[in-house]
């Protein structure tokens, strides 16, 4: 996906999240059981402002003194604060050179990393908000397939998230857009990711949206195949609770 498309979807999903929140700020978030809608808006608004500050600061060193506007105490002002943050983030990302330096925890210290990450962050939390009020709109299939790639290629390879389950390789296959990925799981190591087809022991197949929500643990997973394959898939599902939260 190109940066313009990420920003277009960030704008749409950012506003859709606000619209859902306006319906009920007290609604519990089933996909994030520790949160209600107020906490979801608070979290997402702070994330937007924090990443905007990182991009504005620039450089490749982790910043330690970023000034973030705090959320208001009044419910009636919270969504306005959130919308202001989305708009400021969009303006900042749109004006920046995607190749300009901007620190990230991933090691990819470019503005482009945050353009992608903020589009992905916002679409999943938009789904969280809409799911909480019973009306989920579709996730763009291309963005969803890209989000699967991001989760498998960026998040699961983060240092410290060691896999403890059964060995094997799982294929994640999108049915609505091109997209096939392999995750190889080795006990005591970090899973490795390959984009494209190859030999595998189990298949997780569905629409790009379904697989995105699955790897972010918004949808439940069912074991497939024989006992070994079932254990492999279940262990992978458990592992995702670390990188995916």
């Amino acid at each position: 996906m190109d940066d313009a498309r990420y920003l277009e979807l960030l704008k749409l999903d950012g506003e859709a999240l606000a619209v859902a929140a306006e319906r009920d700020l007290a609604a519990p978030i089933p996909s994030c059981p520790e949160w209600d809608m107020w906490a979801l808006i608070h979290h997402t608004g702070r994330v937007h402002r924090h990443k905007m500050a990182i991009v504005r600061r620039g450089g490749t060193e982790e910043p330690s003194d970023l000034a973030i506007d705090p959320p208001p105490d009044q419910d009636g002002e919270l969504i306005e604060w959130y919308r202001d943050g989305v708009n400021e983030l969009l303006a900042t990302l749109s004006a920046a050179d995607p190749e300009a330096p901007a620190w990230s925890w991933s090691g990819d210290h470019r503005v482009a990393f945050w353009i992608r990450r903020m589009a992905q962050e916002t679409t999943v939390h938009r789904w969280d908000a809409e799911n909480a009020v019973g009306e989920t709109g579709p996730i763009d299939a291309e963005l969803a397939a890209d989000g699967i790639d991001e989760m498998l290629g960026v998040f699961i390879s983060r240092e410290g998230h060691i896999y403890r389950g059964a060995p094997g390789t799982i294929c994640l296959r999108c049915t609505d857009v091109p997209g096939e990925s392999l995750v190889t799981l080795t006990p005591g190591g970090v899973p490795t990711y390959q984009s494209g087809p190859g030999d595998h022991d189990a298949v997780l197949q569905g629409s790009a949206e379904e697989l995105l929500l699955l790897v972010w643990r918004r949808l439940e997973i069912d074991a497939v195949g024989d006992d070994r394959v079932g254990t492999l898939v279940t262990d992978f599902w458990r592992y995702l609770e670390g990188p995916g939260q």
Side-chain angles (χ1 to χ4, degrees):
M1 294 183 64
D2 63 28
D3 295 326
R5 182 59 175 159
Y6 283 128
L7 293 173
E8 178 184 0
L9 292 169
L10 171 57
K11 180 178 181 179
L12 293 172
D13 285 324
E15 174 58 19
L17 198 164
V19 170
E22 284 175 325
R23 293 187 54 186
D24 187 358
L25 269 174
I29 308 297
S31 48
C32 301
E34 69 278 17
W35 287 349
D36 58 13
M37 190 74 78
W38 194 97
L40 178 66
I41 286 287
H42 178 280
H43 164 81
T44 311
R46 285 190 60 85
V47 168
H48 287 165
R49 282 170 164 77
H50 184 258
K51 297 344 176 221
M52 174 179 65
I54 285 175
V55 170
R56 288 177 174 175
R57 171 68 62 86
T60 60
E61 297 297 320
E62 181 176 3
S64 59
D65 58 346
L66 296 176
I68 308 298
D69 293 338
D73 294 330
Q74 300 299 316
D75 288 355
E77 300 173 1
L78 182 66
I79 295 176
E80 181 180 357
W81 169 85
Y82 165 80
R83 279 194 168 107
D84 287 345
V86 173
N87 291 333
E88 290 178 30
L89 174 66
L90 283 164
T92 298
L93 295 177
S94 297
D97 178 355
E99 297 303 314
W103 174 86
S104 84
W105 47 261
S106 72
D108 181 356
H109 302 307
R110 298 178 302 138
V111 171
F113 174 85
W114 290 119
I115 292 174
R116 181 195 201 191
R117 178 83 287 277
M118 289 301 92
Q120 294 294 347
E121 174 91 4
T122 305
T123 202
V124 170
H125 285 323
R126 184 268 293 174
W127 185 92
D128 289 330
E130 291 182 337
N131 181 59
V133 296
E135 295 183 3
T136 55
I139 295 175
D140 179 86
E142 186 181 9
L143 183 68
D146 179 76
I148 298 164
D149 179 83
E150 183 200 41
M151 167 55 97
L152 301 180
V154 177
F155 279 90
I156 70 168
S157 62
R158 290 176 65 184
E159 191 173 330
H161 292 295
I162 302 301
Y163 178 72
R164 307 292 184 187
T169 298
I170 299 176
C171 172
L172 289 87
R173 182 180 298 141
C174 297
T175 56
D176 53 345
V177 292
E180 189 164 318
S181 307
L182 298 177
V183 180
T184 298
L185 305 162
T186 303
V190 175
T192 59
Y193 166 63
Q194 172 188 320
S195 179
D199 294 338
H200 51 269
D201 302 296
V203 176
L204 293 172
Q205 182 168 289
S207 69
E209 175 176 329
E210 289 170 334
L211 292 180
L212 176 69
L213 294 174
L214 186 148
V215 299
W216 280 104
R217 292 179 59 91
R218 266 56 180 182
L219 296 183
E220 294 296 325
I221 190 170
D222 294 320
V224 296
D226 59 28
D227 289 343
R228 177 177 175 277
V229 171
T231 299
L232 174 63
V233 171
T234 301
D235 287 347
F236 176 60
W237 172 244
R238 290 171 179 161
Y239 172 81
L240 287 171
E241 188 173 5
Q245 297 300 319

